[in-house]
Amino acid sequence: MSNEVLLEVSGMQTGYGDLKVVRDASLVVRRGEITVLLGRNGAGKTTTLRGITGLNKVTGGVLNYLGEDITGVPAPKRVARGISYVQEGKRIFHELTIEQNLLLGGYSTGVRKRALSKFVQEIYELFPILGEKRHLIAGSMSGGQQQMLAIGQALMAKPQLLILDEPSQGLAPVIVKEVMERVHALKDTGIGILLIEQMVQDSVAIADEVTVLEMGQTVLSRPAAEVTIEDLQQAYFGSV
Ligand code: ATP
């Protein structure tokens, strides 16, 4: 039996003002699984995420989250319902310590202070390096560690659905592998993950479901185990 569907996007349309960038995006994210969203530069991946999180207005199609239509639900309410988004380029506070950054991630959720310190400990179990460096200034950490902190910060909101926009951006290949391993391990916490990546091989390796966007349209959506190199070449370049 397959896992519970957390998010189902069907025929979504969204863009910037009158500019319709995403014309027909469809994808599924299940609990305890990773869906990777691939596509060339400018295909509309980030814009798709912005539609899902409510940052951009959805002008067509349906977003179903935990069995409810959230197409018209405002962005802050989507966060409150458990949708956390780590935007491209890691929004952390460089001058604050790692622990302060994590606590800030939790404050917005209205959770009590004692619960917050428990959540912080859970993040240190997932990302031991953050625990080791908890009292250091976040800006002193490497790019990969800062990315883990940004993910940890998002997890402090106790999401059911974690959305990550290119966590590998700007990282050396060996660090990309480490970040991917950490993202993979997050599945065991029972959340669903929607991941945008340029690193096709590394991300397909940890994915359960693969969706490819081309010019704002979903052109492939399939279990990762059934996706071949030829499928990806076809989706990316239109020919094998
Ligand atoms: P990349 O991998 O380069 O980030 P992407 O697949 O995530 O690509 P998007 O960032 O969603 O693509 O961009 C899709 C299209 O939307 C591009 O043509 C881009 O120029 C346009 N676009 C992106 N942001 C804006 C904006 N703020 N206002 C207007 N157009 C935008």
Side-chain angles (χ1 to χ4, degrees):
M1 208 181 84
S2 63
N3 290 335
E4 177 196 8
V5 172
L6 276 180
L7 175 75
E8 186 162 19
V9 177
S10 314
M12 184 177 73
Q13 299 180 2
T14 185
Y16 304 88
D18 290 338
L19 181 67
K20 198 161 275 182
V21 170
V22 173
R23 294 175 294 133
D24 185 9
S26 298
L27 59 89
V28 169
V29 186
R30 295 184 189 85
R31 191 180 291 286
E33 296 190 0
I34 297 175
T35 294
V36 65
L37 181 60
L38 302 170
R40 283 187 269 184
N41 287 342
K45 303 181 296 296
T46 296
T47 310
T48 296
L49 297 192
R50 293 180 65 88
I52 293 170
T53 53
L55 295 174
N56 285 26
K57 190 166 187 254
V58 171
T59 51
V62 176
L63 302 179
N64 196 290
Y65 173 67
L66 287 172
E68 256 183 84
D69 183 349
I70 59 154
T71 317
V73 171
K77 288 210 170 134
R78 295 189 200 185
V79 178
R81 288 190 195 184
I83 300 179
S84 265
Y85 180 29
V86 181
Q87 297 195 33
E88 207 173 353
K90 19 178 201 303
R91 307 287 162 96
I92 58 163
F93 298 98
H94 286 79
E95 67 284 7
L96 299 182
T97 66
I98 282 118
E99 190 144 309
Q100 286 167 334
N101 266 281
L102 290 175
L103 288 169
L104 274 177
Y107 283 145
S108 56
T109 59
V111 175
R112 295 207 170 177
K113 212 172 166 205
R114 185 177 285 182
L116 281 184
S117 41
K118 181 172 163 274
F119 292 176
V120 168
Q121 293 309 318
E122 288 170 9
I123 304 294
Y124 293 155
E125 276 164 35
L126 288 166
F127 302 104
I129 190 72
L130 299 183
E132 284 166 32
K133 298 195 167 189
R134 52 167 44 98
H135 298 307
L136 297 184
I137 300 296
S140 67
M141 293 198 301
S142 70
Q145 291 164 358
Q146 289 187 21
Q147 188 59 61
M148 289 178 205
L149 177 58
I151 296 171
Q153 212 179 35
L155 290 172
M156 286 292 292
K158 289 279 164 187
Q160 310 237 25
L161 174 64
L162 179 67
I163 302 181
L164 303 174
D165 195 343
E166 279 198 56
S168 71
Q169 197 198 35
L171 302 179
V174 58
I175 311 295
V176 172
K177 283 212 177 338
E178 199 186 330
V179 171
M180 290 297 154
E181 277 167 22
R182 293 285 150 197
V183 171
H184 192 216
L186 290 179
K187 292 201 310 183
D188 296 337
T189 65
I191 62 173
I193 298 166
L194 175 57
L195 171 71
I196 285 192
E197 261 306 326
Q198 292 290 347
M199 309 300 286
V200 176
Q201 269 184 318
D202 288 322
S203 57
V204 172
I206 63 163
D208 298 281
E209 187 81 20
V210 174
T211 296
V212 182
L213 270 191
E214 175 66 35
M215 293 174 73
Q217 277 185 298
T218 295
V219 291
L220 183 148
S221 216
R222 197 171 296 169
E226 295 171 17
V227 172
T228 63
I229 297 281
E230 287 76 20
D231 289 332
L232 292 173
Q233 283 176 337
Q234 176 81 40
Y236 268 72
F237 306 113
S239 62
V240 184

